[in-house]
Amino acid sequence: MDKMKKDFSPTLLDFGPVQIYLARHFGFCYGVENAIEISFATIEENPGKRIFLLSEMIHNPQVNADLQSRGVRFLQDTYGRELIPFEELTPEDIVIIPAFGTTLEMEKKLIKAGLRIKEYNTTCPFVEKVWNRSQQIAKKDYTVIIHGKPKHEETRATFSHAAQDTASVIISDMREAELLADYIKGNRPPDRFFKEFKNQYSDGFDPIRDLRRIGLVNQTTMLASDTQAIADFLKQTMIDIFKLEENTVGEYFADTRDTLCYATNDNQTAVIELLQTGADLAIVVGGYNSSNTSHLVELCEKKLPTYFINGQEKIISAKDILHYDLQDRTEVLSTGYLPEHRPVKILLTSGASCPDAMVESIIRKLSAYFPDAVSMEEMKSRFS
Ligand code: SF4
């Protein structure tokens, strides 16, 4: 009903003793839905053929397990390590390229193996938009700075596309933006650059020559506030060094807006609004290696106890929950996550690779822990 997406206020599911505030925008994005649809259609239309996924289709364990249960096999893990030797591929096989896209080197490898890569390419158009943006910058002789996670499939793909046209370097956060600024200012010995940005710069990169004219693009799923802060910081760095005015800054810093996708923006804005609601805890659902989900967790963690889970089974009971610790990168068991007082107020959201059915099953499970809660059927009727 809110076609212009002006309303980011959460939906209250008032079960009585437990109140669940659901983010206005959460879960599956266009790119993920599109990739899943193409993958399942490919399986149906090609009985008897060997079907491979280049890596995880999306960062969701259930979706990937579902595809595997239908006979699909992964060629690489999420870090690009080979799981099945490429030499085993034949031109009769099908290889699906995931929503994150892939590197130009990988495309060449698949074409060389005789595979048809266009037909089974599920690269999200919002990722392609980033590639186009970096190409535009490259054509104007700017070096492309990519703000993203260096090992993430999407950032590796964006880097490969950018690096074919111009000098390129990946920065993962503000700390690395500040390091880069030191090289731009000439405050660090240039040869240290190669150690500090190992595996993050293009062939032949010269920190003296290639950091005088720069443009910034982002992995589509970064935290909007970080992205803005890094863009402002790098722009200001160029203004200070080259003594620029607003009308001359474009000569040294390409005038680009961020390349976050709509789903990242909508889901993060909805969480910021969700956090205005006083609550006892937050539950964020999504794959543990999902970039966009981890940023929703970071936003929630700043305000209240937050439990990052990748499935309803991680809610073990009304007392125990198994959840992912982003800092330690491990699952931990917490006891007593639901407070004793009533009503308990819970904020709930999910990342772009999490099916809505998962969110529903979590609502069902949580409400069932409260004997006096209204039924799911009653709750549904309130919204119909
Ligand atoms: S999170 Fe954004 S860029 Fe990534 S698949 Fe979804 S819509 Fe595309």
Side-chain angles (χ1 to χ4, degrees), residues 59-344:
H59 289 152
N60 180 281
Q62 287 80 16
V63 172
N64 291 317
D66 200 2
L67 287 162
Q68 282 176 302
S69 73
R70 290 166 198 236
V72 175
R73 291 192 287 155
F74 292 161
L75 284 176
Q76 306 174 109
D77 67 11
T78 41
Y79 298 108
R81 288 178 294 230
E82 203 170 88
L83 298 173
I84 297 173
F86 275 69
E87 296 70 50
E88 279 188 16
L89 295 175
T90 73
E92 281 69 50
D93 294 332
I94 291 172
V95 175
I96 303 172
I97 296 176
F100 319 109
T102 193
T103 62
L104 290 165
E105 298 75 33
M106 180 55 68
E107 279 187 7
K108 276 187 201 137
K109 215 168 163 181
L110 295 172
I111 292 169
K112 202 170 159 209
L115 293 146
R116 291 170 295 160
I117 58 164
K118 283 215 168 74
E119 242 169 296
Y120 307 107
N121 187 346
T122 76
T123 306
C124 176
F126 293 98
V127 174
E128 286 175 338
K129 202 172 131 192
V130 186
W131 300 349
N132 294 338
R133 184 77 62 86
S134 58
Q135 202 176 33
Q136 285 163 9
I137 299 174
K139 273 191 189 148
K140 294 179 186 160
D141 285 333
Y142 292 96
T143 289
V144 174
I145 315 286
I146 301 154
H147 169 219
K149 300 184 177 180
K151 290 186 178 159
H152 192 285
E153 293 99 318
E154 182 193 315
T155 294
R156 290 205 308 267
T158 297
F159 174 74
S160 135
H161 278 79
Q164 76 164 344
D165 296 318
T166 189
S168 306
V169 59
I170 303 171
I171 53 170
S172 51
D173 51 23
M174 183 56 101
R175 191 192 66 81
E176 290 194 350
E178 286 168 354
L179 262 187
L180 198 71
D182 272 351
Y183 287 106
I184 299 173
K185 291 177 193 156
N187 288 352
R188 289 178 100 75
D191 51 335
R192 271 175 56 190
F193 173 89
F194 303 104
K195 194 166 170 227
E196 288 175 323
F197 287 93
K198 194 171 176 222
N199 297 329
Q200 291 176 216
Y201 58 85
S202 53
D203 287 347
F205 196 96
D206 179 341
I208 297 172
R209 181 195 61 204
D210 294 328
L211 291 173
R212 296 181 62 81
R213 204 170 142 82
I214 59 171
L216 185 69
V217 296
N218 326 98
Q219 184 179 323
T220 56
T221 50
M222 301 309 273
L223 194 61
S225 51
D226 283 357
T227 301
Q228 189 59 50
I230 286 173
D232 291 346
F233 171 74
L234 288 177
K235 185 176 176 183
Q236 194 57 47
T237 300
M238 299 314 259
I239 290 175
D240 294 346
I241 296 172
F242 297 106
K243 311 271 178 287
L244 305 171
E245 303 287 337
E246 253 329 295
N247 60 340
T248 52
V249 65
E251 287 169 28
Y252 292 83
F253 187 78
D255 186 18
T256 55
R257 284 191 299 146
D258 72 56
T259 54
L260 302 179
C261 77
Y262 84 95
T264 297
N265 277 317
D266 288 354
N267 288 359
Q268 286 180 15
T269 310
V271 162
I272 290 165
E273 193 80 16
L274 186 64
L275 288 166
Q276 303 302 318
T277 311
D280 298 299
L281 64 139
I283 294 180
V284 182
V285 200
Y288 293 156
N289 52 354
S290 157
S291 166
N292 76 87
T293 314
S294 65
H295 293 311
L296 302 181
V297 175
E298 283 168 24
L299 286 172
C300 293
E301 272 179 347
K302 285 185 195 149
K303 291 264 178 140
L304 73 178
T306 300
Y307 302 94
F308 180 10
I309 60 175
N310 64 5
Q312 57 85 21
E313 68 283 358
K314 298 298 157 94
I315 303 177
I316 298 166
S317 67
K319 277 207 161 40
D320 295 333
I321 188 166
L322 203 54
H323 59 103
Y324 192 66
D325 184 316
L326 269 183
Q327 274 70 46
D328 293 346
R329 304 197 166 275
T330 174
E331 247 181 357
V332 288
L333 180 74
S334 285
T335 297
Y337 68 101
L338 291 178
E340 294 293 327
H341 65 250
R342 300 287 180 264
V344 175

